[in-house]
Amino acid sequence: MYESIDDMLCEVFYIKNTLIMGKSNSARIEEWIKSKGVIDRGTSGLTQHDLHANSAMILSRVENILNDIEWTLIKAEYGYDLSGIIDLTNYILRKDSYIQRLECDALLEYLFIRNRTTRQLQDKYDLSAPKLNRKIRHVKIIINKLHYDCISKLEEQMDYNCKLMQNIEFKPVYAC
């Protein structure tokens, strides 16, 4: 159903963050046409409720596979949820502590949601452009390594579980 783990996470968090809408006039007409025997081969056949349930199952599996720091990174990167930014900051400062705590929070916020410009960061922390870029690059290196570890762990676990599920003679499982 998904081409890669990255594609899966993007789509699952997108579905999670969208609201379930009531049926519009177009949806009602489409449902009426389908009731007359016309087959729609272009969609997955899942309702909005099915898609939300599927995304909840996938997110639950991902959360069970990853540890707390990795799950916080995935939520921040794909879900724009910065509630665990302090944990990521502590992780980065444990790896290398030449960045101050508040600077690291601001750099992570900049990397994930881009709500500030580099000029605003330079002014706030009194940094030159090259020094700010070095700090951003340093944080990116640590975050990218953690992201790579997350994706490789998810690929290994999800691929193994999907192969097990394919050996069972049931309908395909959407959570793989």
Side-chain angles (χ1 to χ4, degrees):
M1 186 172 179
Y2 300 104
E3 293 180 15
S4 65
I5 296 293
D6 186 54
D7 178 48
M8 176 191 71
L9 290 172
C10 287
E11 191 170 324
V12 164
F13 274 103
Y14 175 75
I15 290 170
K16 178 187 173 235
N17 293 331
T18 55
L19 297 174
I20 297 176
M21 304 298 288
K23 288 191 175 180
S24 64
N25 289 336
S26 301
R28 289 183 183 143
I29 292 170
E30 184 179 337
E31 186 177 307
W32 178 79
I33 290 171
K34 285 180 184 177
S35 71
K36 297 299 179 189
V38 177
I39 298 172
D40 184 13
R41 299 184 200 282
T43 61
S44 67
L46 298 176
T47 65
Q48 291 179 7
H49 296 283
D50 294 337
L51 290 172
H52 276 265
N54 185 36
S55 67
M57 286 188 324
I58 292 172
L59 288 176
S60 174
R61 286 185 63 194
V62 169
E63 186 176 6
N64 289 337
I65 291 171
L66 300 177
N67 64 32
D68 292 337
I69 296 295
E70 294 168 339
W71 175 240
T72 301
L73 173 68
I74 294 297
K75 283 192 318 186
E77 187 171 350
Y78 293 99
Y80 305 110
D81 179 11
L82 298 180
S83 61
I85 200 168
I86 294 170
D87 297 330
L88 284 174
T89 298
N90 289 335
Y91 177 80
I92 290 171
L93 294 178
R94 269 187 271 131
K95 293 288 184 183
D96 194 1
S97 62
Y98 93 94
I99 300 174
Q100 295 177 5
R101 186 173 301 278
L102 291 176
E103 284 178 354
C104 190
D105 286 344
L107 293 175
L108 286 170
E109 187 178 352
Y110 170 75
L111 289 174
F112 290 128
I113 58 176
R114 303 265 182 188
N115 64 345
R116 296 182 180 161
T117 62
T118 54
R119 177 50 94 189
Q120 289 172 333
L121 289 173
Q122 287 174 0
D123 292 342
K124 184 172 183 176
Y125 296 105
D126 194 29
L127 298 170
S128 63
K131 191 169 188 176
L132 177 67
N133 288 331
R134 277 194 303 274
K135 289 185 178 199
I136 289 173
R137 189 171 352 113
H138 181 71
V139 170
K140 273 185 185 179
I141 288 170
I142 294 172
I143 291 297
N144 285 340
K145 183 181 181 327
L146 182 63
H147 175 77
Y148 176 76
D149 292 342
C150 292
I151 296 297
S152 63
K153 187 187 285 188
L154 285 173
E155 281 178 347
E156 178 182 312
Q157 289 292 321
M158 297 291 235
D159 188 43
Y160 176 73
N161 290 336
C162 288
K163 285 180 182 174
L164 283 179
M165 294 303 286
Q166 287 173 354
N167 290 337
I168 301 172
E169 294 185 21
F170 291 112
K171 293 181 181 177
V173 176
Y174 289 109
C176 291

